[in-house]
Amino acid sequence: RVLKSDDGGVVFREIYVVTQDRYGVFDVYVSPFAPDEAMIATGEGRLLETRDGGVTWRIARTFPEAIVKLAANPAFPSERYAITTKGAISRTFDAGRTWTSIGGANASGGAVSGGEIHNPYENWGFGFSSSSSSFDFAIDPKNPATLYLVRGDLLLTSSDGGFIWRKITTLIAGKGTALGGVAPHPGDSRTLFVVAGSDFYRSNDSGATWSVKMLGTRRPLKKIFINPRRADSMFVTVGR
């Protein structure tokens, strides 16, 4: 189900419900320039969009697997990414009318050479599960061609919009602890935040070195959200 509030969260009303519980809604994207325009990703592999605040919906695209993540270029919201359960990444430059695959589980490759991973999915066990909590995807707001991908204890980055990826070494690499969320600083591309287990990590040099902060909980940290207009205002979600 998707619920909407028009009064700051006092009252919510249902604007969409899936036909079968097992499909679910995995992500929602709302246009920052047109709040009545939104897109949702479902376990059926469907992208649905509304242009009237959820009164009516239409199928914008159907993918062969469930879609677990939607992301958009903050400077150019018509450029969007959709990531499926099998790790395939597709991109659109026209707000979802047409999509192009930029790599994924069905693509050839997977070899590592010179620190670069070409299509880091098929041979690296990057198939995603709709129930997996150790997955995240983020776009650098200052440089939208720079992407970040979390899977298990791996942190990957691409500087060319997802065609070539390389691994970033983290403090938890090889320790069996899964990373949670990843978030680049909205005003400084060299500053990067990740969570792993119950710890919060920060890098000021694009992941070359890290500092760690314990947040006083034993529960796993899941996602990081940063206020794009006030970067010192941050939120971290905590799991069970």
Side-chain angles (χ1 to χ4, degrees):
R1 300 170 64 195
V2 177
L3 306 179
K4 178 184 178 182
S5 173
D6 294 310
D7 56 9
V10 176
V11 177
F12 283 87
R13 58 186 174 85
E14 182 180 275
I15 60 172
Y16 181 79
V17 59
V18 294
T19 55
Q20 298 184 45
D21 289 342
R22 65 188 179 93
Y23 289 133
V25 175
F26 292 153
D27 208 356
V28 179
Y29 170 75
V30 179
S31 171
F33 300 114
D36 284 337
E37 296 183 10
M39 183 173 283
I40 61 175
T42 75
E44 295 174 283
R46 290 179 176 177
L47 281 180
L48 295 99
E49 68 174 2
T50 178
R51 296 181 181 275
D52 53 16
V55 177
T56 59
W57 296 86
R58 77 172 190 89
I59 299 175
R61 172 72 180 244
T62 300
F63 289 84
E65 303 100 29
I67 306 161
V68 293
K69 182 72 175 180
L70 294 174
N73 181 338
F76 181 59
S78 292
E79 179 186 353
R80 301 174 189 175
Y81 295 83
I83 300 91
T84 73
T85 51
K86 291 186 177 180
I89 299 178
S90 295
R91 179 171 58 192
T92 177
F93 288 102
D94 53 17
R97 295 178 181 84
T98 59
W99 293 82
T100 301
S101 174
I102 59 171
N106 296 323
S108 60
V112 179
S113 175
E116 295 181 345
I117 302 176
H118 301 259
N119 284 329
Y121 309 98
E122 187 172 32
N123 297 332
W124 283 76
F126 271 42
F128 302 142
S129 165
S130 60
S131 61
S132 173
S133 60
S134 57
F135 160 72
D136 202 13
F137 178 87
I139 301 172
D140 182 349
K142 290 284 287 183
N143 182 11
T146 299
L147 311 176
Y148 294 94
L149 178 68
V150 162
R151 175 57 178 166
D153 63 352
L154 293 177
L155 175 61
L156 303 160
T157 184
S158 171
S159 60
D160 59 6
F163 289 97
I164 297 176
W165 296 81
R166 66 177 179 85
K167 290 188 291 185
I168 296 178
T169 301
T170 64
L171 292 177
I172 62 101
K175 296 183 179 180
T177 302
L179 290 163
V182 57
H185 191 288
D188 181 3
S189 293
R190 289 176 56 82
T191 300
L192 186 64
F193 305 95
V194 297
V195 290
S198 58
D199 296 332
F200 181 88
Y201 295 83
R202 173 177 178 144
S203 174
N204 294 323
D205 49 18
S206 302
T209 60
W210 296 86
S211 61
V212 60
K213 180 179 181 61
M214 292 177 285
L215 300 189
T217 178
R218 294 183 178 180
R219 295 182 177 182
L221 306 179
K222 296 296 185 179
K223 302 293 180 183
I224 305 170
F225 301 92
I226 305 176
N227 186 331
R229 296 182 181 179
R230 183 184 169 190
D232 58 347
S233 177
M234 307 176 67
F235 302 84
V236 176
T237 61
V238 182
R240 295 182 178 179

